[in-house]
Amino acid sequence: MSGDKLLEVQGLYACYGKVDALLDISLRMRRGEIVSVIGPNGAGKTTLLSALIGLVSSEGDVRYAGQALTRYHNVAERVSRGISLVPESRELFAPMTVEDNLLLGAFSRHRQGHRDQHSTLAEVYALFPRLKERRTQAAGTLSGGERQMLAMGRALMARPTLLMLDEPSLGLAPKIIGEIFQIIRDLRSTGVSVLLVEQNARAALKSSDYGYVLENGEVALEGPAAELADNPSVIDTYLGRKKKNTAPVEELTAIG
Amino acid sequence: MDWYVFTFLTQDGLTTGAIYALIALALVLVFAVTRVILVGQGDFVTLSALTLATLQAGKTPATVWLLLGGASLVCVKMLAAAAREGRLAQAPRILLMQMTLPCVLALVCWLVEPATLPGALKVLLSIVIIAPLGPVLYRLVYQPVAQASVLQLLIISVAIHIAVIGISLWIFGAEGFRTLPFTSGNLDLGEVSISLQSVLVIGIALALIVALYLFFGHTLYGKALRATAFNQRGAQLVGVPTDLAGSHAFLLAAIIGAVSGILIGPITTLYYDSGFLITLKGFVAAIIGGMASYPLAAAGAFLVGLLESFASFWVSAYKEVIVFTLVLPVLLWLSLTTHHVEEEQH
């Protein structure tokens, strides 16, 4: 199956009231790929994911698995078609146990008549052993890293074809970030395609096949992730200047 | 006060308390899922009791036409939405889903002579006529304004309640009704005499509470409803359609209201507008639970029932005053202990 197109976005436009959030975005994604979208705050990265899942209304031509996405009117329908979003704010059910949170992740499949949530749960626990240890704890008592794992686990319970992650590394310690990205790379073997929005451009591009740079609601740059990571302007703006060539004195005089 | 009076008042208090507990649970449930303070909850109670009284008098209850009309309006609204979004292919499914039950009920009421129905079927028919009014109400009134503030939703609830009272007066008239008792027996335990009617009411109410507990604690649908109450965005993202959660919460509330009506019907004389006081007392209990805790709300309801019962014995004229004064210390306590969270602006 790898190689065929999963997502084709042409001229996507979305706005909040009178403020344009996305202008004419075009983006493509193949099955099994990890694609990352990087860019500064307010570039429209979160809006892009919200528009794709149906939380924000948008215009434009979006084809998902060969069909127009506009056929699926609301979030619930898109979730049932295999699109899952892990939002930046996680949106967990704080007073409920970890296991209940995960089982609710399978709500959409359950509604369609699938009764495999317990085997899916075992797979998710295998991916996140920490969640299994915490399974009777209330979600609200988890640490930041565990919450991110729970949010991802809950999304995976829906057995998505396209998993969209919004800032999975936000607010996490470097060691945990490493774990999270390792899991994202591991997902590749399960056939899940990942659309990743990240501020942590270095980690994101290192784990992806392809990348887009979003600025002011438009695609400013795109290319294979490895090429983007070597692109001077990307390095300059998003990855930070490599220290070896620049002497601090020069910078000081330049600024002075 | 002698022993006999004490046991009588306690029984009376626990019986009405059980019904208030049901009302309080419904109010907490609807508020948690949809942020609507359902002033009309008590109206489900009176509508179902008056429907049963009408059936017992051998007449066809006009509430079935109310249901048929409401369901037709919902259908029109859903078909219009489907047409707008270009999915008219779903039209037969919408018609089938929305109209089957109301049409069947209307046919039953039209073809069958109510007097010939056995008593239990009349009870069942009353519940089945009133329960679907909950989702009808949600889809017609609350779903289009789901994003409104709590205050706006409350104002809408008051308006709906007044409209329902008007319809109720038109359908049933101004006279009071009392339904037939389920049983007239007494259970004699030494010096204490317990009426079987009370035992039955408390038993059914408790069974319903346990059933609700099992539904919310042990089924995925129940958990999904609770999850929607905790985090609507999160529930949407796992595929719970917001309007489905809302209409299911209203369905449960209407079922609870209808059953409460059947239970309270033989105990008190109900008028077309009795629903408001019933809602208020359930509301006092729900407030005791902070509009969030089901067990506290249920406990509060029994407190309200007992207080009302004993107050009516000692200072009958002040019984409502005493019950509603109970809210003051509770609100004071809540305002001192919980830190206030501003409602999210939309």
Side-chain angles (χ1 to χ4, degrees), chain B residues 13-23 201-203 205-206 209 260 263 301-302 305:
Chain B
L14 290 178
T15 313
T16 43
I19 290 162
Y20 294 155
L22 290 176
I23 303 299
V201 169
I202 295 174
L206 287 180
I209 291 173
S260 308
L263 295 180
F302 282 104

Side-chain angles (χ1 to χ4, degrees), chain A residues 106-119:
Chain A
F107 181 83
S108 185
R109 281 180 70 76
H110 190 270
R111 222 176 142 221
Q112 292 173 80
H114 297 282
R115 291 291 179 275
D116 54 359
Q117 65 262 37
H118 286 98
S119 63

Side-chain angles (χ1 to χ4, degrees), chain B residues 4 79 106-107 130 178 185 188 199-200 241 250 270 282 298 310 331 336:
Chain B
Y4 172 77
L79 288 174
L107 269 180
I130 300 306
R178 199 180 264 245
D188 287 313
V199 174
L200 209 60
F250 269 71
L270 290 174
F310 281 89
L331 286 182
L336 290 178

Side-chain angles (χ1 to χ4, degrees), chain B residues 274-287:
Chain B
S274 303
F276 188 57
L277 267 187
I278 298 173
T279 309
L280 275 185
K281 287 181 187 145
F283 189 64
V284 171
I287 288 289

